[in-house]
Amino acid sequence: MNLNALGALKHKTSSQAVNLESIMHARERLDGMAIMTPLVASRFNPNVFFKCEIFQKTNCFKFRGAYNKISSMSAEELERGVIAFSAGNHAQGVALAAKLCETSALIVMPENCVREKFTATKEFGADVKLFGNSTAESFQYADKLAGKTGMAMVHPYNDPEVISGQGTVALEILEQLPDLSNLFVQIGGGGLLAGTAGAVKSINSKIKVIGVEPEGAAKMRTSLRNGYLTTIQNPRTIADGLRISSVGRLAFNLAHKYVDEVVTVSDDEIINTVSILCKSEKMVVEPSGATGLAAILNRKMNLSGKSACILSGGNVNFEWFRKIIT
Amino acid sequence: MNLNALGALKHKTSSQAVNLESIMHARERLDGMAIMTPLVASRFNPNVFFKCEIFQKTNCFKFRGAYNKISSMSAEELERGVIAFSAGNHAQGVALAAKLCETSALIVMPENCVREKFTATKEFGADVKLFGNSTAESFQYADKLAGKTGMAMVHPYNDPEVISGQGTVALEILEQLPDLSNLFVQIGGGGLLAGTAGAVKSINSKIKVIGVEPEGAAKMRTSLRNGYLTTIQNPRTIADGLRISSVGRLAFNLAHKYVDEVVTVSDDEIINTVSILCKSEKMVVEPSGATGLAAILNRKMNLSGKSACILSGGNVNFEWFRKIIT
């Protein structure tokens, strides 16, 4: 084996792992690109803090993982462009990251995606195709296209660079609130949970990390209870970003290692939390983004000390939003 | 004159002035009481920054001035309680500050005040009386009550301690964004403008301070053009917090000294800005709070460098809010 090949192997190995080093490396890449979003204290409970990824570029944390992934690609990969599938927030993150890395992006979204997310993705300059009725169907189509075109897949969660990028959220939270006791993280494909849990537990293993899922899409809890990665049937929830049949394998492995507990919340609890965030906290948060806080507000855990949740995205459908802020 | 009387006189004199010292003193008093609110970059213009007083206690900057005033009162004054008049945001600030200083508060609000502001003021524990159809009419009633009861008036803007408290907003902005070039501040009674202009110009006279008024309530611009404090007839604007016939004398004097320019915006421009803040920036801001940004978005000035505006309050009427986020 010559040195170049050894170098490539080492690089490959290192990029496969999600650990404090890979997350800190992601933070360096994101420096000056992602926004260090504010951590805001709740006006109604001084022990509750909001990490406001609604003020991130594309109004969602997803830009972090997408940019970390795409900016680590080789010139050759960038030449061919990137492809992704997404219910909408990863779509926008990939579209903007691709633009900043001067490569082209093709995004497959399900036909029933939130209109605002579709429009925004196009506005960031991506080529968007609507296909299927779920992200699983969009994935199959995107995967086929990737095979045909040679474009590199930017998976929304089952990718170490993507997970490491999402983990940077937790590095910032720990800087902003060093005496954090509990971190609540909602679970879609599990990338945000895996990355933040990895960061938090590597820095201070005493901090509790609690995953939060909608009752109708409890794929991580089911998997952890079964002890193996499990696909659930017909996930149903108002939180479109969390409406997924299965978490990623990498996320499952990391959650198994690092996450203290996974709790569930009902759609009514999520909707009520979106309304409270708007009316009392003056923030526009989509259902998926409000799910972590829903677990805090509805006392799904006995808590002591300071708790943070991640308001992960603000890309609501405003027709729906208007109805719930009565 | 004995020493006690001299001390009282000195205290009186020092508390009459608004300057960098009085504003820094206010900041000490507010330390641990007011929230150091985040300065957030716009997602759509990296040269525009929002000082998010919508995340302040009572969702408005008014708590700063009210707390600075009430916490500086003598035990004797606190014994008698405080009285205030307000369209709604100062009302909440005084109600909370009085509660924290363990004194009672009586607040007079106009009968047509925003329902949410009335409810919140009562919830903070104040005794609320509805009187008149404008803050001017509420003031007359409150002034009469103050005379009768001996309760100390906490004026919403024509008071050096109140103005100094509001000025702390600018100290924070300059820490958060040292290379600020332009600060836009909306004008109700002028307390926020006077305090922030005083702070900014004392620290860096090169930074431009621009006052912003609704076209239908251009009392400061009229006064500055006339060269004397002028009362306008029938102020009309959607921005209820800025719907005032005259700025305060102190604010006028400070604005005359420190403010570079006063521009006006239309109600349509204000409403459109509230909508943009909600849909694109994911923040709930009331019309008065969005007025400074309306001047930036509608290019009322030729700008270079970084601009900040103060999202001064988030206490919207949600019935109205729902209609404008279409």
Side-chain angles (χ1 to χ4, degrees):
Chain A
M1 188 184 279
N2 68 32
L3 278 177
N4 278 344
L6 184 65
L9 184 67
K10 273 181 73 181
H11 178 72
K12 198 80 186 165
T13 311
S14 127
S15 78
Q16 290 295 328
V18 175
N19 50 38
L20 190 55
E21 196 190 338
S22 73
I23 298 167
M24 288 176 76
H25 193 182
R27 193 171 187 194
E28 279 166 35
R29 284 206 193 102
L30 289 170
D31 185 36
M33 302 308 298
I35 292 166
M36 174 148 177
T37 55
L39 188 79
V40 174
S42 164
R43 249 77 66 231
F44 295 93
N45 185 339
N47 279 324
V48 173
F49 295 81
F50 308 131
K51 177 65 173 170
C52 296
E53 288 294 295
I54 57 171
F55 305 143
Q56 186 52 266
K57 281 179 182 171
T58 74
N59 302 110
C60 180
F61 74 97
K62 289 279 189 180
F63 171 73
R64 296 175 185 256
Y67 185 83
N68 190 47
K69 172 71 178 177
I70 297 173
S71 66
S72 71
M73 286 181 174
S74 67
E76 196 192 332
E77 283 174 305
L78 291 176
E79 181 73 25
R80 288 197 299 267
V82 298
I83 191 164
F85 64 98
S86 161
N89 278 330
H90 179 62
Q92 294 172 66
V94 170
L96 177 59
K99 191 178 170 185
L100 293 170
C101 294
E102 297 179 355
T103 184
S104 61
L106 171 62
I107 319 273
V108 185
M109 299 174 76
E111 282 170 24
N112 60 355
C113 67
V114 171
R115 190 186 44 139
E116 281 85 346
K117 294 180 176 178
F118 169 76
T119 311
T121 305
K122 288 187 74 151
E123 281 173 4
F124 284 120
D127 186 9
V128 183
K129 284 206 190 314
L130 292 177
F131 186 90
N133 291 311
S134 66
T135 46
E137 289 179 22
S138 302
F139 168 60
Q140 286 170 356
Y141 185 64
D143 197 43
K144 213 162 66 180
L145 282 177
K148 266 191 202 167
T149 59
M151 292 171 106
M153 175 70 80
V154 183
H155 196 283
Y157 45 87
N158 201 34
D159 183 296
E161 300 292 6
V162 170
I163 293 176
S164 296
Q166 323 302 31
T168 60
V169 174
L171 295 185
E172 293 178 10
I173 294 174
L174 292 180
E175 272 180 30
Q176 292 165 318
L177 190 70
D179 60 340
L180 176 72
S181 294
N182 316 288
L183 178 63
F184 287 78
V185 189
Q186 47 273 18
I187 306 170
L192 182 62
L193 177 69
T196 54
V200 163
K201 293 292 184 177
S202 305
I203 291 171
N204 181 350
S205 62
K206 286 183 189 160
I207 297 172
K208 277 198 182 135
V209 178
I210 303 111
V212 186
E213 290 182 312
E215 284 171 1
K219 60 275 168 198
M220 179 68 91
R221 195 174 64 161
T222 307
S223 296
L224 289 173
R225 283 190 176 170
N226 288 347
Y228 54 86
L229 187 60
T230 309
T231 298
I232 60 167
Q233 299 305 311
N234 297 321
R236 282 186 192 190
T237 169
I238 185 78
D240 60 295
L242 316 180
R243 199 187 298 137
I244 296 178
S245 305
S246 169
V247 298
R249 172 155 301 283
L250 270 169
F252 172 71
N253 292 343
L254 287 159
H256 191 264
K257 189 170 168 188
Y258 290 129
V259 172
D260 293 282
E261 193 162 342
V262 175
V263 299
T264 61
V265 292
S266 70
D267 271 12
D268 280 350
E269 288 169 336
I270 294 172
I271 293 167
N272 192 35
T273 304
V274 171
S275 174
I276 289 170
L277 279 165
C278 175
K279 297 178 84 170
S280 300
E281 307 287 356
K282 312 301 174 188
M283 296 183 193
V284 177
V285 184
E286 61 184 282
S288 306
T291 298
L293 179 60
I296 299 178
L297 294 183
N298 294 286
R299 302 173 190 281
K300 302 286 173 168
M301 294 271 298
N302 288 325
L303 294 178
S304 61
K306 294 178 179 171
S307 297
C309 59
I310 303 167
L311 303 182
S312 54
N315 296 310
V316 292
N317 171 265
F318 281 98
E319 205 173 316
W320 173 83
F321 191 68
R322 274 202 305 280
K323 286 181 203 148
I324 65 130
I325 50 170
T326 48
Chain B
M1 187 184 280
N2 68 32
L3 278 177
N4 279 343
L6 183 64
L9 184 68
K10 272 180 75 179
H11 178 71
K12 198 82 185 164
T13 311
S14 127
S15 76
Q16 290 294 327
V18 175
N19 50 39
L20 189 56
E21 195 190 340
S22 74
I23 298 167
M24 290 176 77
H25 193 184
R27 194 171 187 194
E28 280 167 35
R29 284 205 193 104
L30 288 169
D31 185 36
M33 302 308 298
I35 293 165
M36 174 146 176
T37 55
L39 188 80
V40 174
S42 165
R43 248 79 64 233
F44 295 92
N45 185 339
N47 278 325
V48 173
F49 295 80
F50 308 130
K51 177 64 172 171
C52 295
E53 288 293 295
I54 58 171
F55 304 144
Q56 186 52 264
K57 282 180 181 168
T58 76
N59 301 111
C60 180
F61 74 97
K62 289 278 190 180
F63 172 73
R64 297 175 185 255
Y67 186 83
N68 189 48
K69 171 70 179 179
I70 297 174
S71 67
S72 71
M73 285 182 176
S74 67
E76 197 192 332
E77 282 174 307
L78 291 176
E79 181 74 24
R80 289 197 299 267
V82 298
I83 190 164
F85 65 97
S86 162
N89 278 329
H90 178 63
Q92 294 172 67
V94 170
L96 178 59
K99 192 178 170 185
L100 294 171
C101 294
E102 298 179 355
T103 185
S104 60
L106 171 62
I107 319 273
V108 185
M109 299 174 75
E111 282 170 24
N112 60 353
C113 67
V114 171
R115 191 186 43 139
E116 281 86 345
K117 294 181 176 177
F118 170 75
T119 311
T121 305
K122 287 187 77 149
E123 282 172 5
F124 284 120
D127 186 10
V128 183
K129 285 205 189 315
L130 292 177
F131 186 90
N133 291 311
S134 66
T135 45
E137 289 180 22
S138 302
F139 168 60
Q140 286 170 355
Y141 185 63
D143 197 42
K144 213 161 66 179
L145 282 177
K148 265 191 202 166
T149 59
M151 292 171 107
M153 175 70 79
V154 183
H155 196 282
Y157 45 87
N158 200 34
D159 182 296
E161 301 291 6
V162 170
I163 292 175
S164 297
Q166 323 303 31
T168 60
V169 174
L171 295 185
E172 293 177 11
I173 293 174
L174 292 181
E175 271 179 34
Q176 292 164 319
L177 190 71
D179 59 339
L180 175 72
S181 294
N182 316 289
L183 178 63
F184 287 78
V185 190
Q186 47 272 19
I187 306 171
L192 182 62
L193 177 69
T196 53
V200 163
K201 292 292 184 176
S202 304
I203 291 170
N204 182 348
S205 63
K206 285 182 191 160
I207 298 172
K208 276 198 181 136
V209 178
I210 303 111
V212 186
E213 291 181 312
E215 284 171 1
K219 61 275 169 197
M220 180 69 92
R221 195 175 65 161
T222 306
S223 296
L224 289 173
R225 283 191 176 171
N226 288 345
Y228 54 85
L229 187 59
T230 309
T231 299
I232 60 167
Q233 299 306 311
N234 297 320
R236 281 185 193 193
T237 168
I238 185 78
D240 60 296
L242 316 181
R243 200 188 297 137
I244 297 178
S245 305
S246 169
V247 297
R249 171 155 302 283
L250 271 168
F252 172 71
N253 291 343
L254 288 158
H256 191 261
K257 189 169 169 188
Y258 290 128
V259 172
D260 294 282
E261 193 162 341
V262 175
V263 299
T264 61
V265 292
S266 70
D267 271 12
D268 280 351
E269 288 168 337
I270 294 172
I271 293 166
N272 192 36
T273 304
V274 171
S275 174
I276 289 170
L277 279 165
C278 174
K279 297 178 85 170
S280 300
E281 306 286 357
K282 312 302 175 188
M283 296 184 194
V284 177
V285 184
E286 62 184 280
S288 306
T291 298
L293 179 60
I296 299 177
L297 294 183
N298 293 287
R299 303 172 190 279
K300 301 287 172 166
M301 294 270 299
N302 286 326
L303 294 178
S304 62
K306 294 179 179 170
S307 298
C309 58
I310 304 168
L311 303 181
S312 53
N315 296 309
V316 291
N317 171 267
F318 280 98
E319 207 173 314
W320 174 82
F321 192 67
R322 273 201 307 281
K323 286 181 205 149
I324 65 128
I325 50 170
T326 47

